[in-house]
Amino acid sequence: MEREIIKDIVLLSQKSVPATRDDMQTVRDLLDTLKANSERCVGLAANMIGVHKTILAATIGDEDIVMINPKIVDKSKETYETEEACLSLTGVRKVTRYTMITVEYSDRKFKRRKQTFRDFDAEIIQHEMDHFDGIII
């Protein structure tokens, strides 16, 4: 089910907690909300739909992926500065991102995965993972 995007900074500033198999409805809602906003959005963290769990959905290439309890386990020394927007905020903000990250996570079937992402794909994931810590760009 498509959910409303949260814009309340107090709610967005709260830290998320690990997800469990009981959070599969949130996974479905994130994917539905991502698809409904595909013209203006490439990633969503669960807190953006009001659920403080460490789940994100992102459009990587032509595929919508879900990461449950992702952790960055490696990152490049190289960084770059860019400007990002967020559905929960107005305007853009400057941020620094790693060029490459390796992430361990569970997929929507709770199968453990380890994958390396570069450039814009890595940027999307870093942005959404910031939401887990209550970091708002």
Side-chain angles (χ1 to χ4, degrees), residues 31 34-35 38 41-44 56-67 105 107-109 113 115 117 120-121 124-125:
L31 287 168
L34 181 65
K35 286 178 186 168
S38 63
C41 176
V42 291
L44 290 172
L56 69 83
T59 303
I60 304 297
D62 293 333
E63 183 181 0
D64 291 339
I65 68 166
V66 171
M67 293 184 170
Y105 64 96
D107 65 16
R108 65 182 93 183
K109 294 181 180 178
R113 303 271 185 197
Q115 195 170 354
F117 300 91
F120 187 60
D121 294 340
I124 296 166
I125 294 164

Side-chain angles (χ1 to χ4, degrees), residues 31-60:
L31 287 168
D32 290 347
T33 306
L34 181 65
K35 286 178 186 168
N37 290 280
S38 63
E39 290 184 14
R40 60 192 186 118
C41 176
V42 291
L44 290 172
N47 72 339
M48 294 175 67
I49 61 169
V51 180
H52 293 284
K53 297 290 182 125
T54 53
I55 308 169
L56 69 83
T59 303
I60 304 297

Side-chain angles (χ1 to χ4, degrees), residues 14-105:
Q14 295 176 10
K15 290 192 176 197
S16 298
V17 297
T20 68
R21 291 181 187 270
D22 293 335
D23 294 308
M24 292 311 294
Q25 184 61 50
T26 299
V27 169
R28 290 186 289 275
D29 291 350
L30 268 176
L31 287 168
D32 290 347
T33 306
L34 181 65
K35 286 178 186 168
N37 290 280
S38 63
E39 290 184 14
R40 60 192 186 118
C41 176
V42 291
L44 290 172
N47 72 339
M48 294 175 67
I49 61 169
V51 180
H52 293 284
K53 297 290 182 125
T54 53
I55 308 169
L56 69 83
T59 303
I60 304 297
D62 293 333
E63 183 181 0
D64 291 339
I65 68 166
V66 171
M67 293 184 170
I68 300 169
N69 303 324
K71 301 275 186 229
I72 296 174
V73 295
D74 193 19
K75 57 192 173 212
S76 62
K77 291 180 182 176
E78 184 179 324
T79 61
Y80 63 96
E81 288 190 17
T82 189
E83 290 185 340
E84 293 178 356
C86 182
L87 281 182
S88 293
L89 303 171
T90 304
V92 296
R93 286 153 180 83
K94 290 184 180 185
V95 295
T96 300
R97 297 292 182 205
Y98 295 102
T99 304
M100 182 276 306
I101 59 172
T102 300
V103 183
E104 287 184 354
Y105 64 96

